[in-house]
């Protein structure tokens, strides 16, 4: 299952830099994860300072 960015994202970009497949991009007020590209590695969740990334 893909990871998702939940409410509370502060748009810092830490997750995007940690994603090995480039599945994360800046959306409207928060970053978003493309579920078709995400390989469910969890790298993004480990770098999020707000702890708002979880497995869908």
């Amino acid at each position: 299952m893909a990871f998702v960015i939940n409410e509370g994202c502060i748009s810092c970009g830490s997750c995007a830099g940690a994603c090995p497949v480039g599945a994360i991009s800046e959306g409207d007020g928060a970053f978003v994860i493309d579920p078709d590209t995400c390989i469910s590695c969890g790298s993004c969740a480990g770098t999020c300072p707000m702890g708002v990334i979880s497995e869908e």
Side-chain angles (χ1 to χ4, degrees):
M1 284 191 132
F3 277 73
V4 292
I5 300 173
N6 302 295
E7 277 188 50
C9 174
I10 59 171
S11 296
C12 68
S14 294
C15 57
C19 183
V21 294
I24 304 173
S25 59
E26 193 168 3
D28 187 23
F31 277 73
V32 292
I33 300 174
D34 178 357
D36 294 328
T37 307
C38 178
I39 59 171
S40 300
C41 68
S43 293
C44 56
T47 61
C48 179
M50 301 304 291
V52 297
I53 302 176
S54 60
E55 211 165 0
E56 191 172 43

